[in-house]
Amino acid sequence: MPRTRPVWPGSPQPLGARFHLGPDATPGTNFALWAAGAEAVELCLFDPDGTETRVELTELTHEVWHGFVPGVMPGHAYGYRVHGRWDPWTGGRWNPAKLLLDPYARAVDGEFALPPHVYGHARDWPERPVADTVRDNRDSAPFVPKGVVVQDDDDWSDDRRPKTPWSDSVIYELHVRGFTMRHPGIPPQLRGTYAGLAHPAAIAHLERLGVTAVELLPVHQFAHEDHLLRRSLRNYWGYNSIGYFAPHAAYSASGTRGEQVGEFKRMVRALHAAGIEVILDVVYNHTAEGNELGPTLSLRGIDNRAYYRLQQDARRYADYTGCGNTLHVVRPHVLRLITDSLRYWVTEMGVDGFRFDLAAALARPMRATDDPDMLSPFLAVVAQDPVLRRVKLIAEPWDVGSGGYQVGAFPPLWTEWNDRYRDAVRDFWRGASPGLADLGYRLSGSSDLYAWGGRRPYASVNFVTAHDGFTLRDLVSYECKHNEANGEENQDGTNDNRSWNCGCEGETDDPGINALRRRQLRNLLATLLLSTGVPMLCAGDEMGRTQGGNNNAYCQDNETSWVDWSLLDDPEDDSWRELFELVCRLIALRRRHPVLRRRVFFSGRPQRPGGLRDLAWFTPEGREMTEGDWFSAATTLGMYLSGRDIAQGDPLGRRITDDSFLVILHAAAEPVGFVLPGPPWAHRYEVLVDTSGGEHAPVVLAAGAAVTVAERSVLLLRAVSPRSPGRA
């Protein structure tokens, strides 16, 4: 006979499992699950030995099934079985044989295995075309992880959020596991974990770089796809979420019965103490349950029709994400799930912002076939939410559906990944740019995309590489993807890499090619860090990390993807250490000079009578560019940033002045003579950065003189005039 437990009415609020003192000060846990279409809901409690006790929740308030169970303490594992009609033709996929993860579970214990038992339908049904319509009655409980009751007992009074202004931000995209797995200064037992990222050795690298925020690849609880497990691979990136409140348990060094929650919070505190913000890459556009042939893990079994966008043929899912399903964000309970999750990570887990994967999918209206709507319920709710409107919000402004490309279209509260910046910079340095007009916009903040509705230059997150695609080193070493290790016959990953291998595909011993590749790395990084907008670095690019040409390493949880820290200490090649030092210098320079991190767009006009234009562009002849120059084939561009009159004030409203800089970008294979603009722009120039590695004599050059700019290089010069401030 199954064991029974008493259950009291409890409360429909809040959703999830919350431990507290109930009636008569009895300790226990309140359970609440939104399941509007269900006929019955069973709470399943699991003892440490796996023994299951089922408790029927009989209270139903406003579509929420709820009950208080005395004696259920923090650390207790649980799940749900939800009863309803099996009718896939109308979207009904209830199956009480499948144990379901609570969407509000704040900790998850165990990993998903994907035998046939975990599927709501008969995955191994011989007639494949109708397999998803046949219900599978095998119990899935032994093969799925369970939610864990977590106690609320953390005090954040000692935490100090950095609150770095957007204009001052430098983002570093990293993977918790990949960043720490090979770090020699992190104890082996902490590598690959939140505690590893909190370790002083990991934080020291971030501090030395000078980045202001880490953007963590997904840390919501996620599942591995069946097609990967069949090939003995795993989902490494984590874009396959199934628990929007739970930190991924596999990244915990301290335990998975709730201990991962405290470990994550301690990581956030450690990063905050170093002045570093924590931004989460979040995946609210789809879940790990996939399409109609996917497993039944949570939302599908709770109320499939209510949580997912379905086609007119309700057996099938509307897929605007390329991952099999799309959450129906327009529905109030789905919108609540997402916003409750976001607020939880801010208020209880301490994070400082979010990067939304495929954010355009969240902006699709009730009819998903319509283009994304920037007045959609999700964007409207975020804009008025007193918690969410105050944190950093970054959109990946596209999805895979019709009209899904929305770069520049998100409302003023949002910052966006700017892939047009990525493409323009890659094209320029590989010699494929048809003209300079697009590059000029990207270098100066992309005003053509963002100068509307009160948006600022920091609406653009500038990047050359990210987790998805080639690493920076591979970008200059490969022209074709090499994804064979992914087991998809090299068919996965983009073919539009906009890369150049410098004359040889892959690694080589040719010293000339290697020298050119190192220079191209310096050029790309210097361009990124001297551009207006928010720069984003991908972890390891500052020291030459390679993935061997794999541009879609989502399933490579191994040394292909992990940061190789030995590059910084290679006794036979100090070029990677030199690259790292250059990045540190450029970020420090950016931090010192407000003209490099403007809060308002350039106007191209003087800010006061008799002043200089705040932005000017020059040809190699030393003359200002004309309209025709922008659209002619050219490989050299001079950008003058005036710091004399910056159109922004300090916190007291006082006028800000700064040094002025001339940035020369030269992408041709031969050197070029560049005439340095004379008065009123400058009387002389001081060379600060030369990516060719060459030495200039003298270091201070006279205005009006022609300086030789080495082939394929960036030259950064400080303009010196009688009114110039001190040295850079």
Side-chain angles (χ1 to χ4, degrees), residues 652-712:
L652 298 178
R654 297 171 297 197
R655 185 165 64 93
I656 294 176
T657 60
D658 191 15
D659 288 331
S660 298
F661 295 95
L662 177 65
V663 183
I664 303 173
L665 299 93
H666 176 56
E670 301 295 333
V672 66
F674 197 102
V675 177
L676 301 176
W681 305 103
H683 289 76
R684 58 190 186 279
Y685 291 87
E686 178 185 5
V687 178
L688 300 181
V689 174
D690 180 359
T691 62
S692 73
E695 295 296 330
H696 285 265
V699 175
V700 177
L701 306 171
V707 61
T708 299
V709 182
E711 66 277 9
R712 296 192 177 97

Side-chain angles (χ1 to χ4, degrees), residues 636-648:
T636 309
L637 179 65
M639 177 175 65
Y640 186 95
L641 308 172
S642 175
R644 294 189 188 180
D645 294 286
I646 300 175
Q648 62 196 48

Side-chain angles (χ1 to χ4, degrees), residues 173 215 355 394-395 397-398 416-419 461 463 466-467 536:
E173 187 195 37
E215 182 176 302
R355 179 264 189 190
I394 305 171
W398 51 78
E416 301 175 19
W417 269 27
N418 187 352
D419 68 328
V461 171
F463 66 102
H467 68 275
M536 184 184 79

Side-chain angles (χ1 to χ4, degrees), residues 372-418:
D373 179 7
M374 294 304 140
L375 297 176
S376 67
F378 172 74
L379 296 178
V381 166
V382 170
Q384 60 79 44
D385 188 282
V387 172
L388 301 181
R389 69 189 182 202
R390 299 178 184 275
V391 301
K392 287 183 166 65
L393 301 171
I394 305 171
E396 183 184 37
W398 51 78
D399 65 18
V400 302
S402 174
Y405 188 75
Q406 295 289 322
V407 173
F410 273 71
L413 187 65
W414 289 74
T415 292
E416 301 175 19
W417 269 27
N418 187 352

Side-chain angles (χ1 to χ4, degrees), residues 472-493:
L472 199 67
R473 179 174 169 180
D474 289 353
L475 189 69
V476 301
S477 304
Y478 297 89
E479 292 191 10
C480 302
K481 64 188 181 185
H482 296 268
N483 299 355
E484 290 80 5
N486 296 353
E488 299 176 43
E489 299 181 344
N490 207 32
Q491 298 301 305
D492 61 304

